[in-house]
PDB file of all heavy atoms in Angstrom:
ATOM      1  N   THR A 885     -36.541 124.302-110.461  1.00  0.00           N
ATOM      2  CA  THR A 885     -36.272 125.733-110.306  1.00  0.00           C
ATOM      3  C   THR A 885     -35.480 125.952-109.024  1.00  0.00           C
ATOM      4  O   THR A 885     -35.667 125.235-108.030  1.00  0.00           O
ATOM      5  CB  THR A 885     -37.570 126.565-110.238  1.00  0.00           C
ATOM      6  OG1 THR A 885     -38.316 126.145-109.086  1.00  0.00           O
ATOM      7  CG2 THR A 885     -38.422 126.364-111.471  1.00  0.00           C
ATOM      8  N   GLU A 886     -34.592 126.923-109.069  1.00  0.00           N
ATOM      9  CA  GLU A 886     -33.812 127.342-107.906  1.00  0.00           C
ATOM     10  C   GLU A 886     -33.675 128.846-107.982  1.00  0.00           C
ATOM     11  O   GLU A 886     -32.795 129.391-108.646  1.00  0.00           O
ATOM     12  CB  GLU A 886     -32.413 126.687-107.904  1.00  0.00           C
ATOM     13  CG  GLU A 886     -32.392 125.222-107.611  1.00  0.00           C
ATOM     14  CD  GLU A 886     -32.650 124.894-106.149  1.00  0.00           C
ATOM     15  OE1 GLU A 886     -32.555 125.804-105.296  1.00  0.00           O
ATOM     16  OE2 GLU A 886     -32.945 123.718-105.865  1.00  0.00           O
ATOM     17  N   ASN A 887     -34.591 129.528-107.292  1.00  0.00           N
ATOM     18  CA  ASN A 887     -34.568 130.997-107.271  1.00  0.00           C
ATOM     19  C   ASN A 887     -34.643 131.549-108.693  1.00  0.00           C
ATOM     20  O   ASN A 887     -35.635 131.317-109.389  1.00  0.00           O
ATOM     21  CB  ASN A 887     -33.328 131.495-106.516  1.00  0.00           C
ATOM     22  CG  ASN A 887     -33.301 131.003-105.084  1.00  0.00           C
ATOM     23  OD1 ASN A 887     -34.309 131.057-104.387  1.00  0.00           O
ATOM     24  ND2 ASN A 887     -32.154 130.491-104.657  1.00  0.00           N
ATOM     25  N   ARG A 888     -33.616 132.236-109.181  1.00  0.00           N
ATOM     26  CA  ARG A 888     -33.649 132.842-110.511  1.00  0.00           C
ATOM     27  C   ARG A 888     -33.318 131.856-111.625  1.00  0.00           C
ATOM     28  O   ARG A 888     -33.357 132.218-112.810  1.00  0.00           O
ATOM     29  CB  ARG A 888     -32.674 134.015-110.555  1.00  0.00           C
ATOM     30  CG  ARG A 888     -32.985 135.139-109.608  1.00  0.00           C
ATOM     31  CD  ARG A 888     -31.978 136.296-109.730  1.00  0.00           C
ATOM     32  NE  ARG A 888     -30.627 135.897-109.353  1.00  0.00           N
ATOM     33  CZ  ARG A 888     -29.632 135.700-110.215  1.00  0.00           C
ATOM     34  NH1 ARG A 888     -29.834 135.856-111.521  1.00  0.00           N
ATOM     35  NH2 ARG A 888     -28.429 135.355-109.783  1.00  0.00           N
ATOM     36  N   PHE A 889     -32.984 130.646-111.266  1.00  0.00           N
ATOM     37  CA  PHE A 889     -32.564 129.644-112.246  1.00  0.00           C
ATOM     38  C   PHE A 889     -33.672 128.617-112.439  1.00  0.00           C
ATOM     39  O   PHE A 889     -34.218 128.104-111.465  1.00  0.00           O
ATOM     40  CB  PHE A 889     -31.286 128.942-111.772  1.00  0.00           C
ATOM     41  CG  PHE A 889     -30.103 129.869-111.611  1.00  0.00           C
ATOM     42  CD1 PHE A 889     -29.895 130.539-110.423  1.00  0.00           C
ATOM     43  CD2 PHE A 889     -29.220 130.056-112.652  1.00  0.00           C
ATOM     44  CE1 PHE A 889     -28.807 131.398-110.271  1.00  0.00           C
ATOM     45  CE2 PHE A 889     -28.132 130.901-112.510  1.00  0.00           C
ATOM     46  CZ  PHE A 889     -27.925 131.577-111.321  1.00  0.00           C
ATOM     47  N   SER A 890     -33.977 128.332-113.683  1.00  0.00           N
ATOM     48  CA  SER A 890     -34.960 127.296-113.987  1.00  0.00           C
ATOM     49  C   SER A 890     -34.522 126.558-115.239  1.00  0.00           C
ATOM     50  O   SER A 890     -33.686 127.042-116.005  1.00  0.00           O
ATOM     51  CB  SER A 890     -36.349 127.907-114.177  1.00  0.00           C
ATOM     52  OG  SER A 890     -36.345 128.809-115.270  1.00  0.00           O
ATOM     53  N   VAL A 891     -35.071 125.370-115.405  1.00  0.00           N
ATOM     54  CA  VAL A 891     -34.722 124.585-116.587  1.00  0.00           C
ATOM     55  C   VAL A 891     -35.979 124.296-117.393  1.00  0.00           C
ATOM     56  O   VAL A 891     -37.095 124.311-116.887  1.00  0.00           O
ATOM     57  CB  VAL A 891     -34.030 123.255-116.210  1.00  0.00           C
ATOM     58  CG1 VAL A 891     -32.723 123.535-115.472  1.00  0.00           C
ATOM     59  CG2 VAL A 891     -34.937 122.353-115.407  1.00  0.00           C
ATOM     60  N   ASN A 892     -35.749 124.030-118.673  1.00  0.00           N
ATOM     61  CA  ASN A 892     -36.788 123.517-119.556  1.00  0.00           C
ATOM     62  C   ASN A 892     -36.323 122.138-119.996  1.00  0.00           C
ATOM     63  O   ASN A 892     -35.428 122.009-120.841  1.00  0.00           O
ATOM     64  CB  ASN A 892     -36.984 124.437-120.750  1.00  0.00           C
ATOM     65  CG  ASN A 892     -38.120 123.951-121.645  1.00  0.00           C
ATOM     66  OD1 ASN A 892     -38.818 122.986-121.330  1.00  0.00           O
ATOM     67  ND2 ASN A 892     -38.318 124.619-122.772  1.00  0.00           N
ATOM     68  N   PHE A 893     -36.875 121.113-119.377  1.00  0.00           N
ATOM     69  CA  PHE A 893     -36.484 119.732-119.616  1.00  0.00           C
ATOM     70  C   PHE A 893     -37.465 119.094-120.577  1.00  0.00           C
ATOM     71  O   PHE A 893     -38.650 118.951-120.267  1.00  0.00           O
ATOM     72  CB  PHE A 893     -36.444 118.969-118.293  1.00  0.00           C
ATOM     73  CG  PHE A 893     -36.208 117.497-118.423  1.00  0.00           C
ATOM     74  CD1 PHE A 893     -35.176 117.006-119.199  1.00  0.00           C
ATOM     75  CD2 PHE A 893     -37.021 116.587-117.739  1.00  0.00           C
ATOM     76  CE1 PHE A 893     -34.951 115.646-119.308  1.00  0.00           C
ATOM     77  CE2 PHE A 893     -36.805 115.232-117.830  1.00  0.00           C
ATOM     78  CZ  PHE A 893     -35.765 114.748-118.626  1.00  0.00           C
ATOM     79  N   GLN A 894     -36.981 118.740-121.748  1.00  0.00           N
ATOM     80  CA  GLN A 894     -37.801 118.077-122.767  1.00  0.00           C
ATOM     81  C   GLN A 894     -37.209 116.681-122.988  1.00  0.00           C
ATOM     82  O   GLN A 894     -36.272 116.519-123.784  1.00  0.00           O
ATOM     83  CB  GLN A 894     -37.782 118.894-124.066  1.00  0.00           C
ATOM     84  CG  GLN A 894     -38.288 120.305-123.938  1.00  0.00           C
ATOM     85  CD  GLN A 894     -39.787 120.351-123.715  1.00  0.00           C
ATOM     86  OE1 GLN A 894     -40.522 119.487-124.200  1.00  0.00           O
ATOM     87  NE2 GLN A 894     -40.243 121.351-122.969  1.00  0.00           N
ATOM     88  N   LYS A 895     -37.754 115.685-122.291  1.00  0.00           N
ATOM     89  CA  LYS A 895     -37.151 114.356-122.298  1.00  0.00           C
ATOM     90  C   LYS A 895     -37.184 113.726-123.690  1.00  0.00           C
ATOM     91  O   LYS A 895     -36.215 113.119-124.126  1.00  0.00           O
ATOM     92  CB  LYS A 895     -37.860 113.446-121.291  1.00  0.00           C
ATOM     93  CG  LYS A 895     -37.126 112.137-121.057  1.00  0.00           C
ATOM     94  CD  LYS A 895     -37.742 111.348-119.920  1.00  0.00           C
ATOM     95  CE  LYS A 895     -36.936 110.076-119.636  1.00  0.00           C
ATOM     96  NZ  LYS A 895     -37.525 109.288-118.513  1.00  0.00           N
ATOM     97  N   ALA A 896     -38.298 113.847-124.374  1.00  0.00           N
ATOM     98  CA  ALA A 896     -38.406 113.213-125.694  1.00  0.00           C
ATOM     99  C   ALA A 896     -37.424 113.841-126.682  1.00  0.00           C
ATOM    100  O   ALA A 896     -36.830 113.147-127.510  1.00  0.00           O
ATOM    101  CB  ALA A 896     -39.827 113.339-126.212  1.00  0.00           C
ATOM    102  N   ALA A 897     -37.244 115.124-126.575  1.00  0.00           N
ATOM    103  CA  ALA A 897     -36.318 115.825-127.461  1.00  0.00           C
ATOM    104  C   ALA A 897     -34.886 115.774-126.957  1.00  0.00           C
ATOM    105  O   ALA A 897     -33.962 116.221-127.652  1.00  0.00           O
ATOM    106  CB  ALA A 897     -36.759 117.277-127.627  1.00  0.00           C
ATOM    107  N   LYS A 898     -34.690 115.262-125.751  1.00  0.00           N
ATOM    108  CA  LYS A 898     -33.365 115.194-125.118  1.00  0.00           C
ATOM    109  C   LYS A 898     -32.723 116.578-125.085  1.00  0.00           C
ATOM    110  O   LYS A 898     -31.582 116.791-125.532  1.00  0.00           O
ATOM    111  CB  LYS A 898     -32.482 114.163-125.824  1.00  0.00           C
ATOM    112  CG  LYS A 898     -33.041 112.753-125.690  1.00  0.00           C
ATOM    113  CD  LYS A 898     -32.194 111.697-126.377  1.00  0.00           C
ATOM    114  CE  LYS A 898     -32.848 110.339-126.218  1.00  0.00           C
ATOM    115  NZ  LYS A 898     -32.146 109.283-126.982  1.00  0.00           N
ATOM    116  N   SER A 899     -33.486 117.486-124.537  1.00  0.00           N
ATOM    117  CA  SER A 899     -33.061 118.875-124.437  1.00  0.00           C
ATOM    118  C   SER A 899     -33.180 119.332-122.993  1.00  0.00           C
ATOM    119  O   SER A 899     -34.141 118.984-122.286  1.00  0.00           O
ATOM    120  CB  SER A 899     -33.936 119.736-125.342  1.00  0.00           C
ATOM    121  OG  SER A 899     -33.715 121.104-125.118  1.00  0.00           O
TER     122      SER A 899
END
Side-chain angles (χ1 to χ4, degrees):
Chain A
T885 62
E886 289 286 344
N887 300 315
R888 298 181 296 106
F889 298 87
S890 62
V891 298
N892 183 5
F893 173 49
Q894 301 289 329
K895 191 172 184 180
K898 296 180 181 174
S899 170

